[in-house]
Amino acid sequence: MNLTIVGCTGSFPGPLSPASCYLVSASDGERIWRILLDLGNGALGTAQRYLDLEDIDAVFLSHLHPDHCMDLCGLHVAVRWHPEGWSKGRIPVWGPADTADRVAIAYGMDPDPGMHSEFEFHHWTEREVVKFGPFNITPYSVRHPVDEAYAMRVEATEPGPDGPVTRVLTYSGDTDSCPELVEAARDADMFLCEAAYHEGRDDAIEGVHLTGKRAGAAATEAKVHRLLLTHLPVWNDSIRTVAEARETYSGELAVAVAGVSYAV
């Protein structure tokens, strides 16, 4: 399984990165499957550096803040108005219950029929596994001030020389500390975890985001193998974020950088 950082800037696009979007790819032995975790504002253009839009097998949304979902509107345009026709049919989209209506309203459309001709919408059910190609994706409800916010545990089983191999990537979405985040990340090979706040500046704010220190504590409790910090706003100091995380996590640690790919 491979992870490519399409966009990782928190809350709105920055000068060096779009908002949240992560391309995850894995093989089932016959072909490569490509899914997007979130599709925040600014991400659709950058995503085309790494894949043709018709190669998107599915989109999985953590929640419905614009920095995590708004470029679904642009993808709708690509599917609906491709002058040569869209060859792949409707794109499956998993997200909160209001996803279809929210993106239609954002685009100024009547929710009925909305974007149902372009997307095959599915609603998350807490901890119900979605089986998709080589992936098993499990949503965990987390702590963020919206009706539904989820961390995603992404397990991919791929063929190896000695038999099938399963790797685990957990993506926090947006969240403050909570037991569900730790459960989602338990023993993950890679924990892609938001760290939008700084200690001493934002740590008194409850129920919105993690600091580097809080992210590190969750990673340690979950016993993850690698911690990759993401969703840093433009006004954050990444060195400070890493230093905070290092107070509570001793394992392999880095900050996500747009355009970089990682083997999970």
Side-chain angles (χ1 to χ4, degrees), residues 236-251:
N236 275 24
D237 179 351
S238 61
I239 295 175
R240 177 176 171 181
T241 300
V242 169
E244 290 178 8
R246 188 53 79 196
E247 292 181 36
T248 53
Y249 180 72
S250 61

Side-chain angles (χ1 to χ4, degrees), residues 77-147:
V77 174
V79 178
R80 174 67 178 84
W81 297 108
H82 195 301
E84 297 176 3
W86 185 263
S87 66
K88 295 294 184 70
R90 293 191 299 164
I91 299 173
V93 175
W94 272 264
D98 290 341
T99 300
D101 288 354
R102 287 279 297 277
V103 295
I105 291 168
Y107 198 69
M109 303 173 69
D110 188 323
D112 184 13
M115 299 182 184
H116 288 274
S117 295
E118 292 73 47
F119 300 126
E120 179 186 308
F121 289 102
H122 304 269
H123 301 161
W124 289 124
T125 299
E126 165 77 3
R127 304 197 190 204
E128 183 175 293
V129 178
V130 173
K131 298 181 182 294
F132 190 79
F135 300 106
N136 283 347
I137 301 157
T138 308
Y140 288 75
S141 182
V142 290
R143 192 175 167 212
H144 195 59
V146 291
D147 289 339

Side-chain angles (χ1 to χ4, degrees), residues 25 32 42 44 70 75 84 88-89 108 110 145 175 198 200 203 227 230:
S25 59
I32 302 295
L44 187 66
M70 193 50 61
L75 186 56
E84 297 176 3
K88 295 294 184 70
D110 188 323
T175 182
H198 274 326
D203 53 297
L227 174 59
T230 192

Side-chain angles (χ1 to χ4, degrees), residues 1-5 23-26 37 135 154-156 158 165-171 187-192 225-226 228 252 261-264:
M1 177 162 51
N2 286 288
L3 166 69
T4 298
I5 310 299
L23 169 61
V24 182
S25 59
L37 309 182
F135 300 106
V154 182
E155 302 177 54
E158 299 180 279
V165 176
T166 300
R167 294 283 185 262
V168 178
L169 165 69
T170 294
Y171 169 45
D187 297 316
D189 295 286
M190 179 174 285
F191 185 22
L192 178 64
H225 298 281
R226 300 161 69 191
L228 188 61
E252 187 174 340
S261 294
Y262 304 83
V264 176

Side-chain angles (χ1 to χ4, degrees), residues 33-102:
W33 292 70
R34 298 172 178 88
I35 63 174
L36 296 179
L37 309 182
D38 284 342
L39 190 55
N41 39 349
L44 187 66
T46 303
Q48 293 170 76
R49 298 176 186 172
Y50 312 112
L51 81 171
D52 291 331
L53 295 182
E54 289 195 351
D55 289 336
I56 298 171
D57 288 302
V59 179
F60 296 84
L61 300 177
S62 64
H63 66 292
L64 297 179
H65 278 155
D67 60 316
H68 293 262
C69 72
M70 193 50 61
D71 270 21
L72 203 62
C73 292
L75 186 56
H76 149 76
V77 174
V79 178
R80 174 67 178 84
W81 297 108
H82 195 301
E84 297 176 3
W86 185 263
S87 66
K88 295 294 184 70
R90 293 191 299 164
I91 299 173
V93 175
W94 272 264
D98 290 341
T99 300
D101 288 354
R102 287 279 297 277

